[in-house]
């Protein structure tokens, strides 16, 4: 009788229900991770994501060994791994967490469930996020989420009975050649120990002023929790983070400002699952617009030169380029800059949403399909239920990086340009360029104000001519967050997702 605990995006031992359940049976357990080579060929995966996972696997192995059984890492497909383990160990149960990923993981999971049924292996899944399988009614979702977050945490098992037979351990897999080289010198490091340390520093000190400092790219790297890759690969459980944030926020000695910050932080943990629920309910969002009729907004091939300049941080708009280059270097950028990058690609550059979405996915160490595809579509105006958010790259720059500190750090071409000129280097005279430099920096791809006006008109006209109330109602009913019952028909046109879905409620059109 052997139980396999299949680790996927849950690389921890604390608050891990499948592991706790397997250990409690008192029979041999194989903790298993499979490096799925086909997964790493997908266009939204990258070396930086793998790098984070690899460090997390090493940390997980250390934690498991303390309890008696190390991590077995295999390579190939999950069903292939199961076949081998069936032959060598006689597997009777497979325990794991639910995963809401893209189409590939969905198909893989179906194959695994099918294999278990054919081979009389008991298959059990637990939910680790507040994402509900086969959700019938979005109105009850909030309640289910809160109940899950309030459940008691599970301690890491003290003893994990070891299975006899071959176990390769973590050291055996080397550096997989199928993951493309990805230079990301400032990438965050994986592992539960790192995640817990980050959480502690955030709750003790860094969270003060969270709401005020998360928008500027200068203050955000320290003010934000930076827990996103740890949440995405499950090195710390979301419930653990939620409960610790709540306890700190409720403590009688906690100052009101810090309490407010932690309330705001907790609401983002809620959005995390709210967005993943969208992909869970409609897996096709990975490939096509949430509001299906909006998919026809852009036809014809994309302008490859524009796409390339955006990808390389060479649009000629300093804050946009600095954000892209900073993201390439570190694998992380704050919400506001992510939203701006996506919106600039979709509106001013008028690119189809999917290529920019895939490019950003590869650059994010914290890539989480449910959040990512919903957010990229939202920032591209494709949901039909959110206000259009067209960013003005100059106003954003003046507001969020007034002295040009962030821009100078990432754009060496503009290192000598003073603060009042750095947001619009194309307006510098030849003499000013001679004096301050900036000659080698790209000219803007286009006139951003005119491009924004054209984009807004094109989207507005398209909505008027091609978008039906029926489809808008469907999207709202299926995916909208709830502040009260969803209204159908003409009233729904004015009803949008609640503001907190955007994460930038201060922002107005054309800001
Ligand atoms: C175009 C675009 C793509 C994005 N893609 C991803 C992605 O692939 N993976 C990802 O984790 N986040 C994504 N986000 C959401 C958000 O930008 C990041 O979660 C956040 O910047 C991560 O930093 P942090 O952990 O310090 O965040 P904090 O502000 O400390 O928030 C804590 C946690 O709450 C969740 N969260 C925060 N903001 C949001 C949000 N707006 N929507 C949903 N969940 C949120 C995340 O899990 C985050 O780790 C995307 C946003 C945009 C605009």
């Amino acid at each position: 009788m052997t139980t396999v605990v299949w680790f996927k995006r849950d690389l921890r031992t604390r608050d891990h229900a499948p592991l706790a359940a397997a250990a409690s049976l008192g029979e041999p357990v194989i903790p298993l991770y499979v490096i799925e080579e086909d997964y790493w060929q997908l266009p939204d995966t990258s070396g930086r994501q793998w790098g984070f996972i690899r460090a997390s696997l090493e940390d997980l192995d250390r934690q498991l060994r303390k309890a008696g059984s190390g991590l077995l890492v295999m390579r190939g497909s999950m069903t292939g791994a199961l076949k081998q383990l069936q032959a060598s160990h006689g597997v009777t149960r497979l325990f794991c967490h639910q995963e809401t990923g893209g189409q590939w993981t969905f198909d893989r999971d179906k194959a695994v469930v099918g294999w278990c049924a054919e081979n009389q292996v008991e298959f059990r899944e637990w939910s680790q996020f507040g994402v509900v399988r086969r959700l019938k009614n979005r109105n009850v979702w909030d309640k289910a989420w809160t109940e899950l977050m309030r459940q008691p945490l599970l301690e890491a098992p003290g003893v994990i009975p070891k299975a006899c037979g071959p176990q390769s351990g973590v050291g055996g897999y080397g550096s997989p050649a199928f993951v493309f080289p990805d230079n990301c010198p400032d990438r965050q490091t994986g592992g539960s120990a790192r995640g817990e340390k980050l959480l502690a520093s955030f709750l003790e000190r860094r969270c003060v002023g969270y709401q005020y400092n998360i928008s500027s790219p200068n203050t955000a790297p320290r003010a934000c929790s930076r827990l996103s890759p740890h949440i995405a690969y499950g090195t710390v459980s979301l419930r653990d983070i939620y409960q610790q944030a709540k306890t700190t926020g409720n403590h009688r000695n906690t100052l009101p400002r810090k309490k407010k910050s932690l309330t705001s932080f907790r609401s983002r943990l809620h959005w995390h699952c709210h967005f993943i629920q969208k992909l869970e309910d409609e897996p096709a969002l990975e490939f096509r617009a949430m509001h299906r009729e909006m998919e026809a907004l852009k036809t014809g091939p994309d302008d490859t030169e524009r796409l390339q300049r955006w990808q390389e941080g060479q649009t000629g708009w300093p804050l946009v380029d600095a954000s892209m280059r900073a993201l390439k270097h570190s694998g992380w950028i704050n919400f506001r800059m992510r939203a701006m990058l996506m919106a600039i690609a979709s509106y001013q550059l008028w690119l189809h949403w999917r290529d920019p979405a895939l490019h950003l996915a590869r650059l994010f160490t914290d890539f989480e399909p449910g959040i990512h595809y919903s957010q990229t579509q939202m920032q591209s105006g494709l949901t039909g239920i959110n206000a259009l958010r067209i960013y003005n790259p100059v106003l954003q720059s003046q507001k969020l990086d007034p002295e040009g500190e962030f821009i100078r750090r990432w754009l060496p071409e503009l290192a000598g340009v003073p603060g009042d000129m750095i947001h619009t280097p194309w307006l510098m005279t030849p003499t000013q360029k001679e004096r301050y430099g900036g000659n080698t920096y790209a000219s803007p791809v286009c006139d951003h104000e005119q491009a924004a006006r054209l984009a807004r008109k094109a989207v507005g006209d398209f909505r008027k001519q091609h978008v039906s109330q029926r489809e808008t109602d469907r999207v709202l009913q299926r995916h909208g967050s709830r502040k009260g019952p969803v209204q159908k028909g003409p009233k729904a046109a004015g009803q949008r997702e609640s503001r907190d879905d955007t994460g930038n409620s201060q922002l107005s059109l054309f800001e």
Side-chain angles (χ1 to χ4, degrees), residues 38-216:
D38 289 350
Y39 171 80
W40 291 102
Q41 303 299 322
L42 297 175
D44 48 17
T45 62
S46 62
R48 58 191 62 197
Q49 296 160 11
W50 164 249
F52 187 91
I53 292 173
R54 189 193 161 121
S56 303
L57 293 176
E58 284 164 359
D59 184 66
L60 175 62
D61 183 49
R62 278 193 291 275
Q63 295 172 53
L64 288 165
R65 276 179 198 282
K66 279 190 212 153
S69 180
L71 181 69
L72 174 64
V73 178
M74 297 176 80
R75 212 162 149 159
S77 71
M78 180 58 189
T79 44
L82 283 171
K83 276 180 209 158
Q84 272 189 46
L85 290 175
Q86 180 70 313
S88 56
H89 291 79
V91 176
T92 44
R93 300 183 197 90
L94 177 63
F95 289 179
C96 61
H97 274 125
Q98 285 172 2
E99 179 176 357
T100 304
Q103 188 64 40
W104 190 92
T105 58
F106 185 57
D107 291 342
R108 184 264 328 261
D109 286 351
K110 278 199 291 195
V112 169
V113 172
W115 186 90
C116 288
E118 274 168 30
N119 291 277
Q120 289 82 49
V121 170
E122 182 197 345
F123 177 80
R124 269 187 80 186
E125 274 188 315
W126 283 257
S127 158
Q128 63 166 339
F129 296 142
V131 176
V132 182
R133 281 266 147 101
R134 289 173 280 280
L135 179 68
K136 296 256 164 17
N137 183 353
R138 255 279 183 176
N139 293 335
V140 298
W141 187 85
D142 277 358
K143 197 165 164 262
W145 187 86
T146 309
E147 275 168 16
L148 194 93
M149 289 303 133
R150 287 184 179 163
Q151 279 172 9
L153 297 175
L154 298 164
E155 283 309 320
V159 178
I160 302 171
K162 195 171 180 220
C164 302
Q167 293 214 358
S168 77
V170 175
Y173 56 73
S175 193
F178 52 85
V179 178
F180 295 110
D182 181 5
N183 185 23
C184 185
D186 213 7
R187 172 176 59 71
Q188 285 181 252
T189 309
S192 299
R194 300 293 287 227
E196 281 159 18
K197 235 173 144 176
L198 263 183
L199 176 60
S201 73
F202 179 70
L203 295 180
E204 278 162 28
R205 301 179 300 279
R206 292 188 295 115
C207 71
V208 182
Y210 174 78
Q211 313 103 287
Y212 308 106
N213 295 325
I214 58 177
S215 295
S216 162

Side-chain angles (χ1 to χ4, degrees), residues 210 224-228 272 332 335 338 366 368 372 375:
Y210 174 78
C224 292
S225 74
R226 308 299 304 274
L227 284 165
S228 52
H272 165 277
W332 182 89
F335 173 84
R338 292 184 195 210
D366 62 24
E368 173 66 63
H372 190 70
Q375 278 286 359

Side-chain angles (χ1 to χ4, degrees), residues 248-319:
T248 309
N250 288 346
H251 196 278
R252 64 194 151 80
N253 292 341
T254 302
L255 296 172
R257 189 177 147 109
K258 189 168 170 183
K259 272 184 202 264
K260 242 178 144 180
S261 291
L262 288 173
T263 305
S264 174
F265 171 70
R266 285 206 314 272
S267 65
R268 279 167 177 81
L269 302 179
H270 183 269
W271 302 348
H272 165 277
C273 302
H274 167 70
F275 278 96
I276 298 179
Q277 185 70 49
K278 294 178 196 242
L279 188 65
E280 173 67 35
D281 290 344
E282 198 166 351
L285 294 185
E286 181 185 356
F287 304 106
R288 61 148 175 68
M290 183 180 288
H291 194 292
R292 291 172 193 162
E293 291 157 353
M294 292 297 292
E295 186 62 36
L297 173 66
K298 289 174 192 168
T299 50
D302 264 352
D303 184 325
T304 44
E305 193 203 323
R306 284 184 169 205
L307 176 64
Q308 206 176 344
R309 285 185 60 176
W310 175 82
Q311 288 177 332
E312 288 171 1
Q314 297 282 0
T315 62
W317 299 311
L319 188 66

